[in-house]
Structure formats: C-alpha cells, structure tokens
Amino acid sequence: MALVFAGPVPNANAGFGPSSRAVVSPPPGLVKPNVQDSDLLSDKADKKLRQLIGNTIDENRLEQFSIQVDNLAEALNNFLSNEDDATESEDAADAKAELERAKLLQRQIADREELLDQLDKQPYWFNYLAAFIGSVASTLAMHPLDTIKTRLQIRASGEGESDCDEVEKGIGDLAGLYEGLTGNILKEGPPSALYLGVYESVKHSLLPRFDAQSVLLVYLLSGAAGELVGSAVRAPAEAVKSTVQSGLEPTASAAARRVFGTPESRSNVVRAWSASIWRDVPFGAIQLAIFELVKAHILNDPNLDFDSGTLASEALIGAFAGGCGALLTNPFDIVTTRIITQDVDAEETGGGGGGDEVDFRRPLGVLEMASKLYEEGGTGAFLVGWKARVAYWAPAISIFLTCYCSVRQAAIGQGWFSS
C-alpha cells in the first residue's frame, strides 16, 4: 500500500499569509491512497508530500489530505490484522513501515490544522501591522544603499551640485548615508502594508475566476493593484526622502517645505507620482509573479528535493524575485528620481533693463525626462545605479518577508489572539 501521485500537481497558490511560512501554497487534491504491492511510498515522494502538507493554508484541501491519509492508515491496519503473527511476511514489514509514515503525516496534518486555527484568530489588522513592521525593519537595514543609489543618479545628471558639495564628491560621507531615513520609512511602511493587503484581496478574488493557465496574469494584476494603491502614499514621502538624500536640503522638514511649499513644487510631486507608477506598478507585479511562480515550480516538481516553505528558502526566493524586479524597473526609477529632484521654482536673474527677470523653468514630464536622459547618455543613462538598486531590493524583500512572518509567529507563540 502506498500514497502515490495520481497526476501532476496543479499550480501552487503561493501568497503571503501563514505565521510559520512567508509564502504558502495549497496542496493538490490529486494525491490518493492506492493499494500497490510493489510500489511503496519512496523517501523522495514522502518528503515532497510533507512539503505540500506543510505549505497549505486551504483548510478544505488539508481535510482532503487528512481523509486520504486516514484511509491509508485504516487499510494498512486491516492488512496487518489479517497477517499471521507467527509468519510475518516481508510485505507485512513494509506495511508497518508505511503505517509509521502515515502516522507521521497524520500528526503533521493535525499540527497544521492547529496552526491554521491560530492564524484564523489573528485579526485582519494584525497582518497589516506585521507587514508595516517588516517594511520598517527592512528600510532601517537597507537605507544606506538606497542613499548611494539616489546620489549616483543625481551625480550622473549633473544637477544639484551647487546645493550640496556631497553630490560633487560622489556618495558623500558614511554618516550621511542615513539622511532621509524618516521619509524612507514613511515611503515604505504604510504603502507596503497596503500593497500586501490589496494584493491578497485581489488575488483571492481573481483566482476562482481564471483557469490554471492564467495564474501568471492573476499574480501580475494583483501585484499591480497593490502597488497602485500603495503608490498614492509612497509618492509624497519619496519626494521628501529623495530631496534629503540627494543633498538638496539638509533635513526632512526643510525638504517637505521645498517639496510642498509652492504650487509648482506640489505639481511636481503629482508629476513624480505619475512617473513612479511606471516604476512601482511593474515592480510590484513582477516581483510577486516571479516569487509565486518559482515557489509553485519547486512544489510542483517531484524531482526537486528542496523545501521551499522554510523561512530561509523563501527569503532566498524573495531575494531573487526582488532583484529581478528591481533590475527590470531601474529605468523608471531613474526617471522618477530625476523628476523629483528637478528644480521647478522660478528664479530671479539679473536683467539688462535695470530690473530682475524671472526665469521660469518648465518642469519635465515622464516622456520628456526620459528623452532628456537618452540625449545625455543614451541607453546607458537608464542603467545608472542599477547595481545599488538590485543590491537594495534583493535583501530588502528577504528581510521584509522574514520579519513579517516572525512577527506573526511571535503572536502565536505569545498567545496574543488565542482566546
């Protein structure tokens, strides 16, 4: 007797959620007990099955697994009860070993059911709080790299040199790498919480409406929707953060006055937001789509002996997905940064007629700034700072996922919502 795979594993529905896992995927309903004298459950199949059970957040599918494993255990017990104790056969010895494996699976299913019950007791707002904490922790760790990336992009533009000597010197001193931290926390914390919540809501709404061949589209649309909502909060905070990081203003309060102090500067924030949509929406869609697909591929391939459900492995997958998304959207990041830091205020210049003339600098939009970048440096201008951007987002996504799950694990361990 054995548990055998009756067919290919359907696409895994990976997603942020459980406390013990950063991303989880429900198991297939295609694993069934099957009586076969010579095809006992192999170690590899047994390990894959345990990974599938350990990655589900679908209570119905977990119940299906429970029924199947219970049926197998009952069949094995019936088989052993009919064996003659005095003449125990080799088949009986194999059946006993199989029964022990079935009991281990039963205990794993029971533990998983208990975990899902504890997760159900966590209020919805706590998921947003966990995402916010994870984002803040990630920002604190990775902010210096973000500062380096921003200053490299400004230095390449040749703008802002008169405002800050640090830009002329390059990335500036090490102590100044945490400039703009407050703005960056505001830029990443609340938007990440919104991004995560909207992504999960849209994904779970769309998945039943699409077939298995369209899951990539669901992941892309869900991630894009999450980033679109989060960008409305992120854009103003990013304008303040980038102004401080680039050296145009020394403090967040001064940067806020510069960014929101005049009608022209406020219009520029809206302009920068429109540019950031071209960066953030694809980034949010790409990184989670890659994350989900890599996770699903590992779970669906019975020949891959890799537990993608551990925090360490999911952090690794998250780093890969974040790095890919960051690289592909680097051109839009440069356009956004240059729009944010362009000078949009009117300046008085000495005129030859005895009075001061006002020089109105017309701010550039997305396409105009992209055209200007191409004129300055060709296609290479859109790759400036890509190493720093990838180096920022790859570990940032890993830290975010790990902290997010750790917060929810801590809540279960402390019994905060057990009653």
Side-chain angles (χ1 to χ4, degrees), residues 16 22-23 131 134-135 137-139 141-142 188 192 195 227 234 283-284 286-288 291 311-312 314-326 389-405:
F16 299 95
V23 174
S135 179
S138 175
T139 301
M142 303 307 301
E188 295 300 336
S192 294
Y195 167 56
E227 275 294 353
R234 178 179 289 112
F283 180 49
I286 291 170
Q287 70 168 352
L288 279 183
F291 190 95
L311 284 178
E314 288 184 338
L316 181 63
I317 298 171
F320 174 74
C324 290
R389 178 169 167 80
V390 171
Y392 175 89
W393 281 110
I397 295 300
S398 294
I399 296 171
F400 169 72
L401 292 177
T402 302
C403 292
Y404 169 73
C405 296

mmCIF file of all heavy atoms in Angstrom, residues 16 22-23 131 134-135 137-139 141-142 188 192 195 227 234 283-284 286-288 291 311-312 314-326 389-405:
data_model
loop_
_atom_site.group_PDB
_atom_site.id
_atom_site.type_symbol
_atom_site.label_atom_id
_atom_site.label_comp_id
_atom_site.label_asym_id
_atom_site.label_seq_id
_atom_site.Cartn_x
_atom_site.Cartn_y
_atom_site.Cartn_z
ATOM 1 N N PHE A 16 1.492 35.602 0.597
ATOM 2 C CA PHE A 16 1.852 35.965 1.954
ATOM 3 C C PHE A 16 0.725 35.511 2.873
ATOM 4 O O PHE A 16 -0.426 35.680 2.564
ATOM 5 C CB PHE A 16 2.020 37.478 2.071
ATOM 6 C CG PHE A 16 3.093 38.025 1.200
ATOM 7 C CD1 PHE A 16 2.808 38.536 -0.045
ATOM 8 C CD2 PHE A 16 4.404 38.014 1.621
ATOM 9 C CE1 PHE A 16 3.806 39.052 -0.854
ATOM 10 C CE2 PHE A 16 5.408 38.527 0.817
ATOM 11 C CZ PHE A 16 5.097 39.037 -0.423
ATOM 12 N N ALA A 22 6.570 32.268 4.966
ATOM 13 C CA ALA A 22 6.409 33.580 4.356
ATOM 14 C C ALA A 22 5.396 33.514 3.235
ATOM 15 O O ALA A 22 4.575 34.390 3.044
ATOM 16 C CB ALA A 22 7.744 34.073 3.817
ATOM 17 N N VAL A 23 5.448 32.443 2.472
ATOM 18 C CA VAL A 23 4.548 32.261 1.349
ATOM 19 C C VAL A 23 4.113 30.817 1.344
ATOM 20 O O VAL A 23 4.898 29.925 1.610
ATOM 21 C CB VAL A 23 5.249 32.592 0.027
ATOM 22 C CG1 VAL A 23 4.353 32.272 -1.145
ATOM 23 C CG2 VAL A 23 5.620 34.054 -0.002
ATOM 24 N N ALA A 131 3.139 43.536 8.351
ATOM 25 C CA ALA A 131 3.768 43.997 7.112
ATOM 26 C C ALA A 131 4.464 45.331 7.317
ATOM 27 O O ALA A 131 5.558 45.570 6.793
ATOM 28 C CB ALA A 131 2.724 44.112 6.006
ATOM 29 N N GLY A 134 7.699 44.685 9.263
ATOM 30 C CA GLY A 134 8.683 44.084 8.367
ATOM 31 C C GLY A 134 9.281 45.092 7.413
ATOM 32 O O GLY A 134 10.483 45.080 7.147
ATOM 33 N N SER A 135 8.456 45.998 6.914
ATOM 34 C CA SER A 135 8.940 47.010 5.986
ATOM 35 C C SER A 135 9.870 47.991 6.675
ATOM 36 O O SER A 135 10.900 48.391 6.113
ATOM 37 C CB SER A 135 7.757 47.754 5.369
ATOM 38 O OG SER A 135 8.195 48.760 4.488
ATOM 39 N N ALA A 137 11.727 47.424 9.365
ATOM 40 C CA ALA A 137 12.987 46.730 9.643
ATOM 41 C C ALA A 137 13.848 46.635 8.390
ATOM 42 O O ALA A 137 15.072 46.848 8.427
ATOM 43 C CB ALA A 137 12.700 45.331 10.195
ATOM 44 N N SER A 138 13.209 46.335 7.265
ATOM 45 C CA SER A 138 13.938 46.251 6.007
ATOM 46 C C SER A 138 14.516 47.606 5.609
ATOM 47 O O SER A 138 15.664 47.703 5.151
ATOM 48 C CB SER A 138 13.005 45.741 4.909
ATOM 49 O OG SER A 138 13.623 45.758 3.652
ATOM 50 N N THR A 139 13.748 48.664 5.806
ATOM 51 C CA THR A 139 14.210 50.011 5.456
ATOM 52 C C THR A 139 15.387 50.432 6.315
ATOM 53 O O THR A 139 16.359 51.026 5.822
ATOM 54 C CB THR A 139 13.061 51.016 5.605
ATOM 55 O OG1 THR A 139 11.981 50.620 4.748
ATOM 56 C CG2 THR A 139 13.511 52.413 5.221
ATOM 57 N N ALA A 141 17.626 48.594 7.647
ATOM 58 C CA ALA A 141 18.824 47.856 7.264
ATOM 59 C C ALA A 141 19.379 48.300 5.913
ATOM 60 O O ALA A 141 20.596 48.336 5.716
ATOM 61 C CB ALA A 141 18.525 46.357 7.239
ATOM 62 N N MET A 142 18.490 48.669 4.989
ATOM 63 C CA MET A 142 18.920 48.883 3.609
ATOM 64 C C MET A 142 18.978 50.347 3.183
ATOM 65 O O MET A 142 19.358 50.637 2.048
ATOM 66 C CB MET A 142 17.969 48.129 2.657
ATOM 67 C CG MET A 142 17.861 46.635 2.927
ATOM 68 S SD MET A 142 19.472 45.819 2.967
ATOM 69 C CE MET A 142 20.076 46.196 1.331
ATOM 70 N N GLU A 188 8.000 53.556 2.740
ATOM 71 C CA GLU A 188 7.907 52.103 2.606
ATOM 72 C C GLU A 188 6.925 51.442 3.565
ATOM 73 O O GLU A 188 6.318 50.432 3.229
ATOM 74 C CB GLU A 188 9.297 51.477 2.804
ATOM 75 C CG GLU A 188 10.307 51.861 1.742
ATOM 76 C CD GLU A 188 9.887 51.440 0.353
ATOM 77 O OE1 GLU A 188 9.081 50.486 0.240
ATOM 78 O OE2 GLU A 188 10.335 52.054 -0.620
ATOM 79 N N SER A 192 3.693 49.517 2.014
ATOM 80 C CA SER A 192 3.913 48.065 1.995
ATOM 81 C C SER A 192 2.752 47.323 2.641
ATOM 82 O O SER A 192 2.353 46.250 2.183
ATOM 83 C CB SER A 192 5.220 47.719 2.714
ATOM 84 O OG SER A 192 6.333 48.226 2.010
ATOM 85 N N TYR A 195 0.004 47.509 0.113
ATOM 86 C CA TYR A 195 0.376 46.656 -1.018
ATOM 87 C C TYR A 195 0.061 45.202 -0.710
ATOM 88 O O TYR A 195 -0.559 44.493 -1.507
ATOM 89 C CB TYR A 195 1.864 46.860 -1.295
ATOM 90 C CG TYR A 195 2.508 45.857 -2.217
ATOM 91 C CD1 TYR A 195 2.011 45.642 -3.491
ATOM 92 C CD2 TYR A 195 3.640 45.156 -1.819
ATOM 93 C CE1 TYR A 195 2.621 44.736 -4.344
ATOM 94 C CE2 TYR A 195 4.259 44.257 -2.664
ATOM 95 C CZ TYR A 195 3.748 44.051 -3.924
ATOM 96 O OH TYR A 195 4.350 43.154 -4.763
ATOM 97 N N GLU A 227 0.370 47.740 -5.669
ATOM 98 C CA GLU A 227 1.313 48.842 -5.795
ATOM 99 C C GLU A 227 0.619 50.143 -6.200
ATOM 100 O O GLU A 227 1.031 51.224 -5.793
ATOM 101 C CB GLU A 227 2.399 48.503 -6.819
ATOM 102 C CG GLU A 227 3.554 47.705 -6.259
ATOM 103 C CD GLU A 227 4.366 48.502 -5.245
ATOM 104 O OE1 GLU A 227 4.117 49.706 -5.079
ATOM 105 O OE2 GLU A 227 5.226 47.895 -4.596
ATOM 106 N N ARG A 234 3.091 56.454 -1.132
ATOM 107 C CA ARG A 234 4.543 56.416 -1.275
ATOM 108 C C ARG A 234 5.100 57.656 -1.966
ATOM 109 O O ARG A 234 6.172 58.152 -1.596
ATOM 110 C CB ARG A 234 4.958 55.167 -2.060
ATOM 111 C CG ARG A 234 6.458 55.052 -2.314
ATOM 112 C CD ARG A 234 6.810 53.798 -3.077
ATOM 113 N NE ARG A 234 6.644 52.608 -2.244
ATOM 114 C CZ ARG A 234 5.715 51.691 -2.438
ATOM 115 N NH1 ARG A 234 4.845 51.841 -3.429
ATOM 116 N NH2 ARG A 234 5.632 50.651 -1.652
ATOM 117 N N PHE A 283 7.053 46.876 -10.911
ATOM 118 C CA PHE A 283 7.919 46.248 -9.914
ATOM 119 C C PHE A 283 7.117 45.350 -8.977
ATOM 120 O O PHE A 283 7.482 44.200 -8.712
ATOM 121 C CB PHE A 283 8.649 47.329 -9.121
ATOM 122 C CG PHE A 283 9.570 46.782 -8.060
ATOM 123 C CD1 PHE A 283 10.482 45.784 -8.359
ATOM 124 C CD2 PHE A 283 9.519 47.263 -6.763
ATOM 125 C CE1 PHE A 283 11.336 45.280 -7.389
ATOM 126 C CE2 PHE A 283 10.369 46.775 -5.780
ATOM 127 C CZ PHE A 283 11.277 45.769 -6.100
ATOM 128 N N GLY A 284 6.005 45.882 -8.475
ATOM 129 C CA GLY A 284 5.168 45.080 -7.585
ATOM 130 C C GLY A 284 4.593 43.864 -8.272
ATOM 131 O O GLY A 284 4.464 42.797 -7.670
ATOM 132 N N ILE A 286 5.909 42.294 -11.054
ATOM 133 C CA ILE A 286 6.963 41.371 -11.470
ATOM 134 C C ILE A 286 7.520 40.580 -10.300
ATOM 135 O O ILE A 286 7.666 39.360 -10.376
ATOM 136 C CB ILE A 286 8.095 42.145 -12.185
ATOM 137 C CG1 ILE A 286 7.610 42.670 -13.532
ATOM 138 C CG2 ILE A 286 9.323 41.254 -12.386
ATOM 139 C CD1 ILE A 286 8.579 43.642 -14.187
ATOM 140 N N GLN A 287 7.812 41.266 -9.198
ATOM 141 C CA GLN A 287 8.485 40.569 -8.105
ATOM 142 C C GLN A 287 7.605 39.483 -7.501
ATOM 143 O O GLN A 287 8.074 38.375 -7.214
ATOM 144 C CB GLN A 287 8.932 41.553 -7.026
ATOM 145 C CG GLN A 287 7.830 42.188 -6.221
ATOM 146 C CD GLN A 287 8.376 42.916 -4.992
ATOM 147 O OE1 GLN A 287 9.541 42.818 -4.674
ATOM 148 N NE2 GLN A 287 7.512 43.652 -4.321
ATOM 149 N N LEU A 288 6.314 39.755 -7.321
ATOM 150 C CA LEU A 288 5.456 38.735 -6.745
ATOM 151 C C LEU A 288 5.116 37.641 -7.746
ATOM 152 O O LEU A 288 4.957 36.473 -7.360
ATOM 153 C CB LEU A 288 4.167 39.370 -6.208
ATOM 154 C CG LEU A 288 4.309 40.019 -4.836
ATOM 155 C CD1 LEU A 288 2.974 40.563 -4.358
ATOM 156 C CD2 LEU A 288 4.852 39.042 -3.818
ATOM 157 N N PHE A 291 8.105 35.446 -7.693
ATOM 158 C CA PHE A 291 8.116 34.746 -6.409
ATOM 159 C C PHE A 291 7.124 33.584 -6.412
ATOM 160 O O PHE A 291 7.446 32.456 -6.022
ATOM 161 C CB PHE A 291 7.784 35.741 -5.301
ATOM 162 C CG PHE A 291 7.984 35.202 -3.922
ATOM 163 C CD1 PHE A 291 9.163 35.414 -3.241
ATOM 164 C CD2 PHE A 291 6.992 34.472 -3.298
ATOM 165 C CE1 PHE A 291 9.360 34.911 -1.972
ATOM 166 C CE2 PHE A 291 7.168 33.975 -2.033
ATOM 167 C CZ PHE A 291 8.346 34.190 -1.365
ATOM 168 N N LEU A 311 11.595 29.504 6.153
ATOM 169 C CA LEU A 311 11.846 30.936 6.091
ATOM 170 C C LEU A 311 13.105 31.250 5.291
ATOM 171 O O LEU A 311 13.141 32.203 4.514
ATOM 172 C CB LEU A 311 11.975 31.496 7.506
ATOM 173 C CG LEU A 311 10.669 31.675 8.300
ATOM 174 C CD1 LEU A 311 10.975 32.179 9.697
ATOM 175 C CD2 LEU A 311 9.713 32.602 7.588
ATOM 176 N N ALA A 312 14.142 30.438 5.486
ATOM 177 C CA ALA A 312 15.407 30.701 4.792
ATOM 178 C C ALA A 312 15.245 30.560 3.284
ATOM 179 O O ALA A 312 15.707 31.414 2.511
ATOM 180 C CB ALA A 312 16.492 29.755 5.305
ATOM 181 N N GLU A 314 12.461 30.698 1.491
ATOM 182 C CA GLU A 314 11.559 31.695 0.941
ATOM 183 C C GLU A 314 12.198 33.080 0.929
ATOM 184 O O GLU A 314 11.913 33.902 0.069
ATOM 185 C CB GLU A 314 10.243 31.691 1.718
ATOM 186 C CG GLU A 314 9.435 30.433 1.403
ATOM 187 C CD GLU A 314 8.086 30.411 2.074
ATOM 188 O OE1 GLU A 314 7.912 31.117 3.086
ATOM 189 O OE2 GLU A 314 7.211 29.686 1.593
ATOM 190 N N ALA A 315 13.072 33.335 1.889
ATOM 191 C CA ALA A 315 13.839 34.577 1.847
ATOM 192 C C ALA A 315 14.753 34.594 0.634
ATOM 193 O O ALA A 315 14.931 35.633 -0.017
ATOM 194 C CB ALA A 315 14.650 34.743 3.131
ATOM 195 N N LEU A 316 15.335 33.441 0.307
ATOM 196 C CA LEU A 316 16.199 33.339 -0.868
ATOM 197 C C LEU A 316 15.399 33.561 -2.150
ATOM 198 O O LEU A 316 15.838 34.290 -3.053
ATOM 199 C CB LEU A 316 16.870 31.967 -0.887
ATOM 200 C CG LEU A 316 17.828 31.691 -2.045
ATOM 201 C CD1 LEU A 316 19.014 32.645 -2.001
ATOM 202 C CD2 LEU A 316 18.324 30.240 -1.984
ATOM 203 N N ILE A 317 14.234 32.950 -2.225
ATOM 204 C CA ILE A 317 13.385 33.145 -3.402
ATOM 205 C C ILE A 317 12.931 34.599 -3.488
ATOM 206 O O ILE A 317 12.885 35.199 -4.571
ATOM 207 C CB ILE A 317 12.162 32.201 -3.345
ATOM 208 C CG1 ILE A 317 12.619 30.742 -3.358
ATOM 209 C CG2 ILE A 317 11.230 32.455 -4.524
ATOM 210 C CD1 ILE A 317 11.496 29.754 -3.098
ATOM 211 N N GLY A 318 12.608 35.188 -2.341
ATOM 212 C CA GLY A 318 12.206 36.592 -2.326
ATOM 213 C C GLY A 318 13.319 37.510 -2.796
ATOM 214 O O GLY A 318 13.076 38.496 -3.496
ATOM 215 N N ALA A 319 14.556 37.198 -2.410
ATOM 216 C CA ALA A 319 15.697 37.995 -2.856
ATOM 217 C C ALA A 319 15.850 37.924 -4.373
ATOM 218 O O ALA A 319 16.105 38.937 -5.038
ATOM 219 C CB ALA A 319 16.974 37.520 -2.170
ATOM 220 N N PHE A 320 15.695 36.736 -4.917
ATOM 221 C CA PHE A 320 15.798 36.565 -6.368
ATOM 222 C C PHE A 320 14.698 37.350 -7.081
ATOM 223 O O PHE A 320 14.957 38.072 -8.062
ATOM 224 C CB PHE A 320 15.706 35.084 -6.729
ATOM 225 C CG PHE A 320 15.649 34.807 -8.212
ATOM 226 C CD1 PHE A 320 16.783 34.939 -8.991
ATOM 227 C CD2 PHE A 320 14.465 34.419 -8.810
ATOM 228 C CE1 PHE A 320 16.745 34.689 -10.360
ATOM 229 C CE2 PHE A 320 14.404 34.166 -10.170
ATOM 230 C CZ PHE A 320 15.548 34.304 -10.948
ATOM 231 N N ALA A 321 13.463 37.245 -6.579
ATOM 232 C CA ALA A 321 12.345 37.946 -7.207
ATOM 233 C C ALA A 321 12.503 39.456 -7.086
ATOM 234 O O ALA A 321 12.272 40.200 -8.049
ATOM 235 C CB ALA A 321 11.029 37.503 -6.570
ATOM 236 N N GLY A 322 12.913 39.923 -5.902
ATOM 237 C CA GLY A 322 13.102 41.357 -5.719
ATOM 238 C C GLY A 322 14.213 41.905 -6.581
ATOM 239 O O GLY A 322 14.102 43.005 -7.140
ATOM 240 N N GLY A 323 15.302 41.146 -6.723
ATOM 241 C CA GLY A 323 16.406 41.585 -7.566
ATOM 242 C C GLY A 323 16.008 41.680 -9.027
ATOM 243 O O GLY A 323 16.360 42.645 -9.722
ATOM 244 N N CYS A 324 15.250 40.684 -9.510
ATOM 245 C CA CYS A 324 14.797 40.717 -10.907
ATOM 246 C C CYS A 324 13.873 41.907 -11.160
ATOM 247 O O CYS A 324 14.018 42.622 -12.158
ATOM 248 C CB CYS A 324 14.074 39.417 -11.250
ATOM 249 S SG CYS A 324 15.131 37.953 -11.344
ATOM 250 N N GLY A 325 12.929 42.116 -10.251
ATOM 251 C CA GLY A 325 12.010 43.239 -10.410
ATOM 252 C C GLY A 325 12.727 44.573 -10.372
ATOM 253 O O GLY A 325 12.403 45.487 -11.133
ATOM 254 N N ALA A 326 13.714 44.694 -9.481
ATOM 255 C CA ALA A 326 14.460 45.945 -9.370
ATOM 256 C C ALA A 326 15.249 46.244 -10.634
ATOM 257 O O ALA A 326 15.302 47.389 -11.099
ATOM 258 C CB ALA A 326 15.397 45.876 -8.166
ATOM 259 N N ARG A 389 20.490 49.544 -6.808
ATOM 260 C CA ARG A 389 19.047 49.263 -6.704
ATOM 261 C C ARG A 389 18.801 47.782 -6.477
ATOM 262 O O ARG A 389 18.002 47.393 -5.621
ATOM 263 C CB ARG A 389 18.333 49.752 -7.966
ATOM 264 C CG ARG A 389 16.832 49.450 -7.962
ATOM 265 C CD ARG A 389 16.132 50.182 -9.104
ATOM 266 N NE ARG A 389 14.781 49.693 -9.309
ATOM 267 C CZ ARG A 389 13.740 50.044 -8.583
ATOM 268 N NH1 ARG A 389 13.896 50.887 -7.583
ATOM 269 N NH2 ARG A 389 12.533 49.567 -8.849
ATOM 270 N N VAL A 390 19.470 46.935 -7.255
ATOM 271 C CA VAL A 390 19.315 45.486 -7.077
ATOM 272 C C VAL A 390 19.848 45.055 -5.714
ATOM 273 O O VAL A 390 19.227 44.238 -5.009
ATOM 274 C CB VAL A 390 20.035 44.724 -8.206
ATOM 275 C CG1 VAL A 390 20.067 43.225 -7.918
ATOM 276 C CG2 VAL A 390 19.349 44.995 -9.549
ATOM 277 N N ALA A 391 21.010 45.616 -5.349
ATOM 278 C CA ALA A 391 21.604 45.273 -4.048
ATOM 279 C C ALA A 391 20.707 45.726 -2.901
ATOM 280 O O ALA A 391 20.756 45.137 -1.811
ATOM 281 C CB ALA A 391 22.983 45.915 -3.916
ATOM 282 N N TYR A 392 19.898 46.743 -3.132
ATOM 283 C CA TYR A 392 18.961 47.201 -2.101
ATOM 284 C C TYR A 392 17.750 46.278 -2.022
ATOM 285 O O TYR A 392 17.383 45.788 -0.946
ATOM 286 C CB TYR A 392 18.516 48.628 -2.393
ATOM 287 C CG TYR A 392 17.454 49.148 -1.445
ATOM 288 C CD1 TYR A 392 17.815 49.789 -0.271
ATOM 289 C CD2 TYR A 392 16.096 48.992 -1.724
ATOM 290 C CE1 TYR A 392 16.847 50.274 0.610
ATOM 291 C CE2 TYR A 392 15.126 49.458 -0.850
ATOM 292 C CZ TYR A 392 15.505 50.100 0.308
ATOM 293 O OH TYR A 392 14.535 50.547 1.171
ATOM 294 N N TRP A 393 17.102 46.038 -3.160
ATOM 295 C CA TRP A 393 15.812 45.366 -3.128
ATOM 296 C C TRP A 393 15.913 43.862 -2.929
ATOM 297 O O TRP A 393 14.986 43.257 -2.357
ATOM 298 C CB TRP A 393 15.019 45.683 -4.397
ATOM 299 C CG TRP A 393 14.378 47.027 -4.332
ATOM 300 C CD1 TRP A 393 14.711 48.144 -5.050
ATOM 301 C CD2 TRP A 393 13.313 47.418 -3.469
ATOM 302 N NE1 TRP A 393 13.925 49.196 -4.692
ATOM 303 C CE2 TRP A 393 13.051 48.782 -3.716
ATOM 304 C CE3 TRP A 393 12.562 46.752 -2.510
ATOM 305 C CZ2 TRP A 393 12.063 49.481 -3.045
ATOM 306 C CZ3 TRP A 393 11.577 47.453 -1.839
ATOM 307 C CH2 TRP A 393 11.332 48.791 -2.109
ATOM 308 N N ALA A 394 16.970 43.225 -3.380
ATOM 309 C CA ALA A 394 17.074 41.776 -3.182
ATOM 310 C C ALA A 394 17.072 41.417 -1.696
ATOM 311 O O ALA A 394 16.211 40.656 -1.241
ATOM 312 C CB ALA A 394 18.318 41.244 -3.887
ATOM 313 N N PRO A 395 17.997 41.955 -0.896
ATOM 314 C CA PRO A 395 17.922 41.641 0.544
ATOM 315 C C PRO A 395 16.745 42.311 1.231
ATOM 316 O O PRO A 395 16.250 41.800 2.247
ATOM 317 C CB PRO A 395 19.255 42.167 1.087
ATOM 318 C CG PRO A 395 19.707 43.199 0.114
ATOM 319 C CD PRO A 395 19.202 42.755 -1.214
ATOM 320 N N ALA A 396 16.282 43.456 0.726
ATOM 321 C CA ALA A 396 15.165 44.143 1.367
ATOM 322 C C ALA A 396 13.914 43.278 1.360
ATOM 323 O O ALA A 396 13.183 43.203 2.367
ATOM 324 C CB ALA A 396 14.888 45.476 0.669
ATOM 325 N N ILE A 397 13.648 42.608 0.239
ATOM 326 C CA ILE A 397 12.473 41.736 0.168
ATOM 327 C C ILE A 397 12.643 40.550 1.108
ATOM 328 O O ILE A 397 11.689 40.124 1.776
ATOM 329 C CB ILE A 397 12.255 41.251 -1.276
ATOM 330 C CG1 ILE A 397 11.915 42.439 -2.184
ATOM 331 C CG2 ILE A 397 11.130 40.224 -1.328
ATOM 332 C CD1 ILE A 397 10.675 43.199 -1.790
ATOM 333 N N SER A 398 13.867 40.017 1.187
ATOM 334 C CA SER A 398 14.122 38.896 2.099
ATOM 335 C C SER A 398 13.880 39.309 3.550
ATOM 336 O O SER A 398 13.234 38.587 4.317
ATOM 337 C CB SER A 398 15.559 38.404 1.938
ATOM 338 O OG SER A 398 15.762 37.843 0.662
ATOM 339 N N ILE A 399 14.415 40.461 3.917
ATOM 340 C CA ILE A 399 14.237 40.941 5.292
ATOM 341 C C ILE A 399 12.763 41.203 5.574
ATOM 342 O O ILE A 399 12.244 40.863 6.651
ATOM 343 C CB ILE A 399 15.070 42.215 5.524
ATOM 344 C CG1 ILE A 399 16.566 41.904 5.392
ATOM 345 C CG2 ILE A 399 14.776 42.819 6.893
ATOM 346 C CD1 ILE A 399 17.447 43.137 5.392
ATOM 347 N N PHE A 400 12.074 41.779 4.615
ATOM 348 C CA PHE A 400 10.659 42.077 4.787
ATOM 349 C C PHE A 400 9.864 40.801 5.050
ATOM 350 O O PHE A 400 9.062 40.730 6.000
ATOM 351 C CB PHE A 400 10.134 42.791 3.544
ATOM 352 C CG PHE A 400 8.634 42.923 3.503
ATOM 353 C CD1 PHE A 400 7.980 43.796 4.352
ATOM 354 C CD2 PHE A 400 7.891 42.171 2.621
ATOM 355 C CE1 PHE A 400 6.594 43.921 4.319
ATOM 356 C CE2 PHE A 400 6.514 42.283 2.578
ATOM 357 C CZ PHE A 400 5.855 43.160 3.429
ATOM 358 N N LEU A 401 10.070 39.779 4.223
ATOM 359 C CA LEU A 401 9.331 38.526 4.385
ATOM 360 C C LEU A 401 9.655 37.856 5.715
ATOM 361 O O LEU A 401 8.760 37.379 6.422
ATOM 362 C CB LEU A 401 9.662 37.572 3.231
ATOM 363 C CG LEU A 401 9.166 37.970 1.840
ATOM 364 C CD1 LEU A 401 9.644 36.951 0.810
ATOM 365 C CD2 LEU A 401 7.655 38.073 1.820
ATOM 366 N N THR A 402 10.938 37.825 6.046
ATOM 367 C CA THR A 402 11.354 37.159 7.282
ATOM 368 C C THR A 402 10.767 37.858 8.501
ATOM 369 O O THR A 402 10.238 37.199 9.414
ATOM 370 C CB THR A 402 12.886 37.135 7.381
ATOM 371 O OG1 THR A 402 13.419 36.470 6.224
ATOM 372 C CG2 THR A 402 13.331 36.387 8.624
ATOM 373 N N CYS A 403 10.841 39.177 8.546
ATOM 374 C CA CYS A 403 10.306 39.914 9.692
ATOM 375 C C CYS A 403 8.786 39.817 9.750
ATOM 376 O O CYS A 403 8.204 39.690 10.838
ATOM 377 C CB CYS A 403 10.734 41.377 9.614
ATOM 378 S SG CYS A 403 12.504 41.648 9.856
ATOM 379 N N TYR A 404 8.155 39.874 8.608
ATOM 380 C CA TYR A 404 6.692 39.752 8.562
ATOM 381 C C TYR A 404 6.234 38.439 9.185
ATOM 382 O O TYR A 404 5.328 38.410 10.032
ATOM 383 C CB TYR A 404 6.218 39.864 7.115
ATOM 384 C CG TYR A 404 4.772 39.487 6.896
ATOM 385 C CD1 TYR A 404 3.749 40.319 7.318
ATOM 386 C CD2 TYR A 404 4.436 38.301 6.244
ATOM 387 C CE1 TYR A 404 2.421 39.984 7.118
ATOM 388 C CE2 TYR A 404 3.117 37.950 6.037
ATOM 389 C CZ TYR A 404 2.116 38.795 6.471
ATOM 390 O OH TYR A 404 0.797 38.453 6.263
ATOM 391 N N CYS A 405 6.868 37.361 8.782
ATOM 392 C CA CYS A 405 6.489 36.044 9.311
ATOM 393 C C CYS A 405 6.883 35.901 10.775
ATOM 394 O O CYS A 405 6.166 35.270 11.554
ATOM 395 C CB CYS A 405 7.148 34.951 8.483
ATOM 396 S SG CYS A 405 6.598 34.922 6.785
#
